[in-house]
Amino acid sequence: MRKKINRRQFLQMSTVGLGAVSLLHVKDSQAYLPEFPVGQRLGRTFYTVEIKTKPDPESETVKTVYNDHILVLNREIIGKPYTTYWKKRIWYETPEGFIPAISVQPVRNEPNVPLTELPVYGATAGMWAEVTVPFVDIYLDGTEPKSPRLKETIDPRFYYSQVLWIDGISSGANNEPIYHVTERHGSYGDVFWADARAFRPITPEDVAPISPEIDNKYIVVDIDHQTISCFENDQEILFARVASGAKYNYEGLRVDKWATPPGDHHLVSRKYISLHMAGGDSKASGYEEFAVSWNSIFASGGVAIHSTYWHNNYGEMLSHGCVNVEPDVAKFVFRWTRPDTPYDPGVIEVQDYSGTIVKVIDHEITG
Protein backbone atom coordinates (compact mmCIF):
# COMPACT_ATOMS: atom_id res chain seq x y z
CA MET A 1 0.00 0.00 0.00
CA ARG A 2 1.21 3.50 -0.79
CA LYS A 3 1.26 5.90 2.12
CA LYS A 4 0.64 9.49 1.00
CA ILE A 5 1.25 12.83 2.56
CA ASN A 6 -1.52 15.34 3.04
CA ARG A 7 -1.78 19.04 2.21
CA ARG A 8 -0.40 20.07 5.59
CA GLN A 9 2.68 17.94 4.97
CA PHE A 10 3.02 19.50 1.50
CA LEU A 11 3.25 22.90 3.17
CA GLN A 12 5.80 21.69 5.68
CA MET A 13 8.00 20.43 2.87
CA SER A 14 7.89 23.81 1.14
CA THR A 15 9.76 25.45 4.02
CA VAL A 16 12.95 23.47 3.37
CA GLY A 17 15.85 25.36 1.80
CA LEU A 18 17.35 24.08 -1.45
CA GLY A 19 20.79 25.67 -1.36
CA ALA A 20 22.70 22.58 -0.22
CA VAL A 21 23.32 19.66 -2.51
CA SER A 22 23.98 17.08 0.23
CA LEU A 23 21.26 15.19 2.11
CA LEU A 24 18.98 17.29 4.28
CA HIS A 25 16.15 16.00 6.44
CA VAL A 26 12.59 17.01 5.57
CA LYS A 27 10.39 16.32 8.57
CA ASP A 28 6.98 14.69 8.17
CA SER A 29 7.44 13.97 4.46
CA GLN A 30 7.09 10.50 3.02
CA ALA A 31 7.78 9.08 -0.43
CA TYR A 32 7.23 5.45 -1.26
CA LEU A 33 7.35 3.58 -4.54
CA PRO A 34 4.80 0.79 -4.96
CA GLU A 35 6.10 -2.77 -5.11
CA PHE A 36 6.24 -3.07 -8.90
CA PRO A 37 7.45 -6.37 -10.43
CA VAL A 38 11.17 -6.25 -11.24
CA GLY A 39 12.86 -7.69 -14.32
CA GLN A 40 9.71 -8.17 -16.37
CA ARG A 41 8.08 -6.35 -19.23
CA LEU A 42 5.24 -4.32 -17.77
CA GLY A 43 2.34 -2.23 -18.97
CA ARG A 44 0.53 0.74 -17.42
CA THR A 45 -3.10 1.32 -18.36
CA PHE A 46 -4.06 4.80 -19.55
CA TYR A 47 -7.75 4.60 -18.65
CA THR A 48 -10.54 2.23 -17.61
CA VAL A 49 -10.29 -0.91 -19.72
CA GLU A 50 -11.62 -4.47 -19.66
CA ILE A 51 -9.32 -7.48 -19.51
CA LYS A 52 -10.71 -10.22 -21.75
CA THR A 53 -10.54 -14.01 -21.82
CA LYS A 54 -9.50 -13.83 -25.50
CA PRO A 55 -7.96 -11.14 -27.74
CA ASP A 56 -11.46 -10.26 -28.90
CA PRO A 57 -13.69 -7.32 -27.81
CA GLU A 58 -16.69 -9.67 -27.83
CA SER A 59 -15.13 -12.21 -25.46
CA GLU A 60 -15.95 -12.46 -21.78
CA THR A 61 -14.58 -9.79 -19.47
CA VAL A 62 -12.32 -11.17 -16.74
CA LYS A 63 -12.10 -7.90 -14.82
CA THR A 64 -12.17 -4.15 -15.27
CA VAL A 65 -9.05 -2.17 -14.38
CA TYR A 66 -8.53 1.56 -14.15
CA ASN A 67 -5.86 4.08 -15.04
CA ASP A 68 -2.35 3.32 -13.79
CA HIS A 69 -3.03 -0.36 -13.24
CA ILE A 70 0.26 -2.26 -13.74
CA LEU A 71 0.29 -5.57 -15.61
CA VAL A 72 2.98 -8.06 -16.61
CA LEU A 73 3.09 -8.30 -20.42
CA ASN A 74 3.87 -11.84 -21.55
CA ARG A 75 3.75 -11.29 -25.31
CA GLU A 76 2.08 -9.47 -28.20
CA ILE A 77 -0.46 -11.30 -30.32
CA ILE A 78 -2.77 -10.48 -33.23
CA GLY A 79 -6.44 -10.37 -32.30
CA LYS A 80 -9.69 -8.72 -33.31
CA PRO A 81 -9.84 -4.92 -33.19
CA TYR A 82 -12.32 -2.66 -31.46
CA THR A 83 -14.62 -0.84 -33.88
CA THR A 84 -13.26 2.59 -32.95
CA TYR A 85 -9.71 1.63 -33.98
CA TRP A 86 -10.37 -1.00 -36.59
CA LYS A 87 -6.72 -1.11 -37.70
CA LYS A 88 -5.41 -1.90 -34.22
CA ARG A 89 -5.19 -5.68 -33.93
CA ILE A 90 -2.33 -5.95 -31.41
CA TRP A 91 -3.19 -7.27 -27.95
CA TYR A 92 -1.04 -8.04 -24.93
CA GLU A 93 -1.30 -11.39 -23.23
CA THR A 94 -1.05 -10.97 -19.46
CA PRO A 95 -1.37 -13.40 -16.52
CA GLU A 96 -4.83 -11.88 -15.96
CA GLY A 97 -6.06 -12.16 -19.55
CA PHE A 98 -5.86 -10.12 -22.74
CA ILE A 99 -5.80 -6.34 -23.12
CA PRO A 100 -5.65 -4.15 -26.27
CA ALA A 101 -2.18 -2.69 -26.77
CA ILE A 102 -3.46 0.83 -27.46
CA SER A 103 -4.69 1.05 -23.86
CA VAL A 104 -1.29 0.30 -22.31
CA GLN A 105 2.04 2.12 -22.04
CA PRO A 106 4.90 -0.42 -22.21
CA VAL A 107 7.10 0.28 -19.17
CA ARG A 108 9.86 -1.18 -17.04
CA ASN A 109 10.57 -1.11 -13.33
CA GLU A 110 14.21 -0.17 -12.99
CA PRO A 111 14.73 1.62 -9.65
CA ASN A 112 17.93 3.56 -9.17
CA VAL A 113 20.47 4.09 -6.40
CA PRO A 114 19.83 7.68 -5.24
CA LEU A 115 22.66 10.20 -5.33
CA THR A 116 23.81 11.89 -2.14
CA GLU A 117 25.28 14.86 -3.99
CA LEU A 118 24.21 16.55 -7.20
CA PRO A 119 26.66 16.74 -10.11
CA VAL A 120 27.78 20.07 -11.53
CA TYR A 121 27.66 20.10 -15.33
CA GLY A 122 27.01 23.81 -15.76
CA ALA A 123 26.90 26.96 -13.69
CA THR A 124 25.04 25.34 -10.79
CA ALA A 125 24.52 21.87 -9.34
CA GLY A 126 21.72 19.89 -10.94
CA MET A 127 20.95 17.18 -13.46
CA TRP A 128 18.42 15.93 -15.95
CA ALA A 129 16.87 12.61 -14.94
CA GLU A 130 14.53 10.10 -16.57
CA VAL A 131 11.71 8.25 -14.82
CA THR A 132 12.55 4.53 -15.04
CA VAL A 133 9.65 3.07 -13.03
CA PRO A 134 6.00 2.77 -14.16
CA PHE A 135 5.05 5.89 -12.17
CA VAL A 136 6.10 7.92 -9.15
CA ASP A 137 3.88 10.05 -6.94
CA ILE A 138 4.86 13.70 -6.76
CA TYR A 139 4.29 16.07 -3.86
CA LEU A 140 3.84 19.77 -4.41
CA ASP A 141 6.49 22.06 -2.94
CA GLY A 142 4.34 25.14 -2.40
CA THR A 143 1.05 26.33 -1.03
CA GLU A 144 -1.17 26.01 -4.10
CA PRO A 145 -0.75 24.45 -7.55
CA LYS A 146 -0.34 26.86 -10.45
CA SER A 147 -0.96 24.47 -13.35
CA PRO A 148 -4.63 24.25 -14.44
CA ARG A 149 -4.35 20.49 -14.79
CA LEU A 150 -2.63 20.09 -11.44
CA LYS A 151 -5.49 21.94 -9.74
CA GLU A 152 -7.84 19.19 -10.90
CA THR A 153 -5.54 16.21 -10.25
CA ILE A 154 -6.08 14.11 -7.13
CA ASP A 155 -2.99 11.89 -7.43
CA PRO A 156 -0.32 13.78 -9.40
CA ARG A 157 2.37 11.52 -10.83
CA PHE A 158 5.24 11.41 -13.26
CA TYR A 159 5.41 8.46 -15.62
CA TYR A 160 7.93 6.17 -17.22
CA SER A 161 10.16 7.96 -19.80
CA GLN A 162 9.43 11.52 -18.63
CA VAL A 163 12.50 13.70 -18.12
CA LEU A 164 12.80 16.27 -15.31
CA TRP A 165 15.42 18.58 -13.81
CA ILE A 166 16.66 17.70 -10.33
CA ASP A 167 18.04 20.60 -8.30
CA GLY A 168 17.92 19.36 -4.71
CA ILE A 169 18.24 16.25 -2.55
CA SER A 170 16.64 15.64 0.82
CA SER A 171 15.19 12.82 2.94
CA GLY A 172 11.73 11.88 4.11
CA ALA A 173 10.42 10.92 7.52
CA ASN A 174 11.95 7.46 7.28
CA ASN A 175 15.19 8.77 5.79
CA GLU A 176 14.26 7.67 2.29
CA PRO A 177 16.05 9.89 -0.27
CA ILE A 178 13.81 12.28 -2.17
CA TYR A 179 14.65 14.65 -5.04
CA HIS A 180 13.47 18.18 -5.62
CA VAL A 181 12.00 17.99 -9.12
CA THR A 182 11.29 20.84 -11.53
CA GLU A 183 10.31 21.51 -15.14
CA ARG A 184 12.83 24.00 -16.45
CA HIS A 185 10.96 24.97 -19.61
CA GLY A 186 7.35 25.94 -20.20
CA SER A 187 5.85 25.18 -16.80
CA TYR A 188 3.55 27.34 -14.70
CA GLY A 189 6.14 27.30 -11.91
CA ASP A 190 5.12 24.27 -9.88
CA VAL A 191 7.93 22.28 -8.24
CA PHE A 192 7.80 18.94 -6.48
CA TRP A 193 9.36 16.32 -4.25
CA ALA A 194 9.49 12.68 -5.33
CA ASP A 195 11.10 9.35 -4.46
CA ALA A 196 14.70 9.54 -5.71
CA ARG A 197 14.76 5.87 -6.71
CA ALA A 198 12.39 6.63 -9.60
CA PHE A 199 14.92 8.77 -11.50
CA ARG A 200 17.92 7.70 -13.58
CA PRO A 201 20.49 10.49 -13.89
CA ILE A 202 21.14 11.64 -17.46
CA THR A 203 24.74 12.67 -18.17
CA PRO A 204 26.03 14.99 -20.91
CA GLU A 205 27.25 11.87 -22.74
CA ASP A 206 23.67 10.61 -22.84
CA VAL A 207 22.61 13.62 -24.92
CA ALA A 208 25.77 13.97 -27.03
CA PRO A 209 25.21 14.43 -30.81
CA ILE A 210 24.92 11.32 -33.00
CA SER A 211 26.90 11.37 -36.29
CA PRO A 212 27.83 15.07 -36.00
CA GLU A 213 30.38 14.70 -38.80
CA ILE A 214 27.67 14.03 -41.41
CA ASP A 215 26.29 17.14 -43.09
CA ASN A 216 23.63 15.62 -45.35
CA LYS A 217 20.83 14.75 -42.95
CA TYR A 218 17.07 15.10 -43.39
CA ILE A 219 13.81 13.70 -42.05
CA VAL A 220 10.70 12.57 -43.92
CA VAL A 221 7.35 12.36 -42.12
CA ASP A 222 4.74 10.53 -44.20
CA ILE A 223 1.27 11.56 -43.05
CA ASP A 224 -0.60 8.96 -45.10
CA HIS A 225 1.43 6.04 -43.78
CA GLN A 226 2.07 7.60 -40.34
CA THR A 227 5.80 6.98 -40.44
CA ILE A 228 9.06 8.84 -39.90
CA SER A 229 12.37 8.18 -41.66
CA CYS A 230 15.79 9.66 -40.98
CA PHE A 231 18.30 9.84 -43.83
CA GLU A 232 22.07 10.24 -43.96
CA ASN A 233 23.46 10.88 -47.45
CA ASP A 234 20.10 9.66 -48.84
CA GLN A 235 20.34 6.36 -46.96
CA GLU A 236 17.57 5.59 -44.49
CA ILE A 237 18.99 4.94 -41.03
CA LEU A 238 15.80 5.03 -38.94
CA PHE A 239 12.18 4.10 -39.62
CA ALA A 240 9.35 4.23 -37.09
CA ARG A 241 5.63 4.75 -36.67
CA VAL A 242 4.21 8.10 -35.60
CA ALA A 243 0.97 9.69 -34.48
CA SER A 244 0.75 12.97 -36.35
CA GLY A 245 -1.70 15.84 -36.13
CA ALA A 246 -5.39 15.03 -36.50
CA LYS A 247 -6.71 16.09 -39.92
CA TYR A 248 -10.36 15.46 -39.06
CA ASN A 249 -12.64 16.23 -36.14
CA TYR A 250 -15.13 13.88 -34.51
CA GLU A 251 -17.65 14.64 -37.25
CA GLY A 252 -15.24 13.58 -39.99
CA LEU A 253 -14.63 17.14 -41.21
CA ARG A 254 -11.13 18.33 -42.06
CA VAL A 255 -9.59 20.56 -39.38
CA ASP A 256 -6.37 22.13 -40.65
CA LYS A 257 -5.50 23.75 -37.30
CA TRP A 258 -4.74 20.30 -35.84
CA ALA A 259 -2.95 18.83 -38.86
CA THR A 260 0.83 18.53 -39.03
CA PRO A 261 1.75 21.22 -41.60
CA PRO A 262 2.86 19.65 -44.92
CA GLY A 263 5.84 20.83 -46.96
CA ASP A 264 9.59 21.22 -46.63
CA HIS A 265 10.47 22.77 -43.30
CA HIS A 266 13.94 24.13 -43.74
CA LEU A 267 15.28 23.43 -40.30
CA VAL A 268 14.80 22.13 -36.80
CA SER A 269 14.61 25.54 -35.14
CA ARG A 270 14.40 24.78 -31.41
CA LYS A 271 15.10 21.80 -29.19
CA TYR A 272 14.22 21.09 -25.57
CA ILE A 273 15.36 18.13 -23.52
CA SER A 274 12.06 18.44 -21.65
CA LEU A 275 9.13 20.81 -22.13
CA HIS A 276 5.82 21.46 -20.38
CA MET A 277 3.23 21.59 -23.18
CA ALA A 278 -0.16 23.27 -23.07
CA GLY A 279 -2.50 24.80 -25.60
CA GLY A 280 -5.98 25.03 -27.05
CA ASP A 281 -9.27 25.77 -25.34
CA SER A 282 -9.32 24.25 -21.86
CA LYS A 283 -13.09 23.73 -22.18
CA ALA A 284 -12.90 21.91 -25.49
CA SER A 285 -9.80 20.76 -27.33
CA GLY A 286 -7.26 22.04 -24.83
CA TYR A 287 -4.39 19.97 -23.52
CA GLU A 288 -1.64 20.12 -20.93
CA GLU A 289 1.17 17.60 -20.62
CA PHE A 290 3.99 17.66 -18.08
CA ALA A 291 7.65 17.04 -18.87
CA VAL A 292 7.39 15.98 -22.51
CA SER A 293 10.86 14.73 -23.37
CA TRP A 294 13.13 15.05 -26.43
CA ASN A 295 11.46 17.86 -28.37
CA SER A 296 12.69 18.85 -31.84
CA ILE A 297 10.59 21.79 -33.04
CA PHE A 298 10.51 22.25 -36.81
CA ALA A 299 7.50 24.42 -37.71
CA SER A 300 5.77 27.56 -36.46
CA GLY A 301 3.36 27.15 -33.59
CA GLY A 302 5.70 24.83 -31.72
CA VAL A 303 5.14 21.81 -33.99
CA ALA A 304 7.66 19.21 -32.82
CA ILE A 305 8.81 15.64 -33.01
CA HIS A 306 8.62 14.49 -29.39
CA SER A 307 8.13 11.50 -27.13
CA THR A 308 4.76 10.43 -25.78
CA TYR A 309 3.82 8.79 -22.49
CA TRP A 310 0.02 9.32 -22.59
CA HIS A 311 -0.88 6.98 -25.46
CA ASN A 312 0.34 3.92 -27.35
CA ASN A 313 -1.65 4.54 -30.51
CA TYR A 314 1.02 5.14 -33.13
CA GLY A 315 -0.23 4.91 -36.68
CA GLU A 316 -3.22 7.20 -36.05
CA MET A 317 -3.59 10.94 -36.64
CA LEU A 318 -4.55 12.20 -33.20
CA SER A 319 -2.20 14.93 -31.94
CA HIS A 320 -2.64 18.72 -31.98
CA GLY A 321 -0.12 19.04 -34.82
CA CYS A 322 3.02 17.50 -33.38
CA VAL A 323 4.62 14.24 -34.47
CA ASN A 324 4.33 11.81 -31.55
CA VAL A 325 6.89 9.00 -31.44
CA GLU A 326 8.06 6.42 -28.92
CA PRO A 327 10.59 7.75 -26.36
CA ASP A 328 13.63 5.95 -27.80
CA VAL A 329 12.83 7.28 -31.27
CA ALA A 330 12.36 10.83 -29.98
CA LYS A 331 15.67 10.71 -28.14
CA PHE A 332 17.50 9.49 -31.24
CA VAL A 333 15.97 12.26 -33.37
CA PHE A 334 16.85 14.83 -30.71
CA ARG A 335 20.49 13.76 -30.57
CA TRP A 336 20.86 13.17 -34.30
CA THR A 337 19.35 16.41 -35.61
CA ARG A 338 20.99 19.80 -35.70
CA PRO A 339 21.42 22.11 -33.85
CA ASP A 340 23.30 20.41 -31.03
CA THR A 341 21.74 21.09 -27.64
CA PRO A 342 23.77 21.96 -24.54
CA TYR A 343 23.10 19.88 -21.44
CA ASP A 344 22.58 22.98 -19.36
CA PRO A 345 20.09 24.63 -19.81
CA GLY A 346 18.82 21.87 -22.13
CA VAL A 347 17.46 24.17 -24.85
CA ILE A 348 18.81 25.63 -28.09
CA GLU A 349 17.41 27.95 -30.74
CA VAL A 350 19.05 28.40 -34.13
CA GLN A 351 19.43 31.82 -35.69
CA ASP A 352 20.19 30.66 -39.24
CA TYR A 353 19.39 27.81 -41.62
CA SER A 354 21.79 25.27 -40.18
CA GLY A 355 19.11 23.05 -38.62
CA THR A 356 18.09 19.65 -40.00
CA ILE A 357 15.48 19.70 -42.78
CA VAL A 358 12.10 18.07 -42.07
CA LYS A 359 9.90 17.11 -45.03
CA VAL A 360 6.24 16.45 -44.24
CA ILE A 361 4.46 14.59 -47.03
CA ASP A 362 0.66 14.65 -47.23
CA HIS A 363 -0.48 12.98 -50.46
CA GLU A 364 -4.04 14.15 -49.96
CA ILE A 365 -2.79 17.69 -50.54
CA THR A 366 0.15 17.20 -52.89
CA GLY A 367 -1.28 14.30 -54.89
Side-chain angles (χ1 to χ4, degrees):
M1 294 292 293
R2 291 182 290 117
K3 190 173 182 180
K4 295 191 174 183
I5 64 175
N6 57 33
R7 173 65 66 182
R8 178 185 168 198
Q9 292 168 325
F10 282 3
L11 300 180
Q12 289 173 329
M13 291 178 68
S14 69
T15 64
V16 178
L18 296 175
V21 296
S22 59
L23 280 176
L24 303 174
H25 185 69
V26 181
K27 294 182 179 180
D28 299 323
S29 66
Q30 296 169 338
Y32 298 105
L33 284 179
E35 294 297 325
F36 301 121
V38 178
Q40 295 173 289
R41 189 183 184 199
L42 305 177
R44 174 185 70 86
T45 56
F46 297 115
Y47 41 74
T48 301
V49 61
E50 296 176 339
I51 298 178
K52 298 288 188 175
T53 57
K54 299 178 180 179
D56 183 346
E58 302 301 322
S59 67
E60 182 181 351
T61 298
V62 176
K63 65 187 293 188
T64 300
V65 297
Y66 304 93
N67 61 300
D68 293 353
H69 181 77
I70 306 302
L71 309 104
V72 174
L73 306 182
N74 292 335
R75 60 173 179 159
E76 293 182 2
I77 61 173
I78 303 296
K80 294 184 179 180
Y82 279 83
T83 304
T84 306
Y85 293 106
W86 58 272
K87 294 184 291 184
K88 303 300 181 181
R89 301 176 62 89
I90 302 296
W91 292 66
Y92 291 125
E93 181 188 61
T94 80
E96 302 176 62
F98 297 88
I99 191 167
I102 61 172
S103 63
V104 177
Q105 179 195 19
V107 300
R108 293 280 186 179
N109 177 33
E110 298 175 344
N112 305 273
V113 177
L115 302 183
T116 58
E117 186 174 343
L118 288 175
V120 180
Y121 295 124
T124 59
M127 65 180 180
W128 293 103
E130 178 184 24
V131 179
T132 59
V133 297
F135 62 76
V136 57
D137 290 324
I138 54 177
Y139 304 116
L140 184 68
D141 179 6
T143 55
E144 294 293 337
K146 302 178 180 65
S147 155
R149 182 171 178 179
L150 197 61
K151 292 177 182 179
E152 301 175 357
T153 302
I154 298 175
D155 294 322
R157 290 168 169 166
F158 288 137
Y159 294 102
Y160 184 82
S161 80
Q162 286 185 273
V163 173
L164 289 304
W165 180 256
I166 310 298
D167 64 2
I169 305 175
S170 189
S171 59
N174 296 324
N175 291 320
E176 70 279 3
I178 54 178
Y179 285 156
H180 192 256
V181 184
T182 71
E183 295 180 278
R184 291 190 77 173
H185 307 295
S187 80
Y188 289 87
D190 296 299
V191 292
F192 312 93
W193 292 99
D195 192 319
R197 295 171 296 170
F199 299 90
R200 180 185 69 83
I202 295 175
T203 68
E205 289 74 21
D206 292 326
V207 299
I210 295 174
S211 304
E213 75 283 359
I214 297 178
D215 294 325
N216 184 14
K217 295 180 178 180
Y218 61 93
I219 294 173
V220 175
V221 176
D222 189 318
I223 299 299
D224 298 88
H225 295 95
Q226 288 294 284
T227 60
I228 185 172
S229 298
C230 295
F231 291 87
E232 291 181 355
N233 297 323
D234 298 326
Q235 181 177 356
E236 186 179 59
I237 55 127
L238 179 140
F239 177 85
R241 296 178 304 159
V242 307
S244 72
K247 293 199 295 185
Y248 305 96
N249 62 17
Y250 298 112
E251 298 175 346
L253 302 176
R254 187 173 180 100
V255 183
D256 290 333
K257 68 177 182 178
W258 293 348
T260 302
D264 288 355
H265 301 278
H266 294 289
L267 52 93
V268 171
S269 59
R270 282 176 290 155
K271 291 165 71 174
Y272 295 86
I273 289 179
S274 182
L275 180 64
H276 186 110
M277 290 188 172
D281 184 348
S282 61
K283 296 181 179 180
S285 60
Y287 63 93
E288 183 182 358
E289 299 295 346
F290 290 78
V292 180
S293 58
W294 314 119
N295 302 269
S296 301
I297 297 175
F298 64 88
S300 60
V303 177
I305 302 165
H306 63 72
S307 72
T308 314
Y309 61 86
W310 57 89
H311 76 77
N312 188 27
N313 197 6
Y314 303 101
E316 297 285 344
M317 292 177 282
L318 49 78
S319 81
H320 287 78
C322 288
V323 179
N324 296 180
V325 294
E326 295 178 359
D328 287 347
V329 175
K331 185 176 181 180
F332 176 87
V333 170
F334 180 90
R335 296 180 59 191
W336 178 80
T337 53
R338 292 177 173 169
D340 301 338
T341 309
Y343 184 92
D344 185 3
V347 60
I348 189 68
E349 180 173 354
V350 300
Q351 304 296 329
D352 52 29
Y353 290 93
S354 61
T356 301
I357 293 174
V358 178
K359 303 179 180 182
V360 178
I361 300 173
D362 186 342
H363 295 286
E364 185 176 322
I365 293 176
T366 60

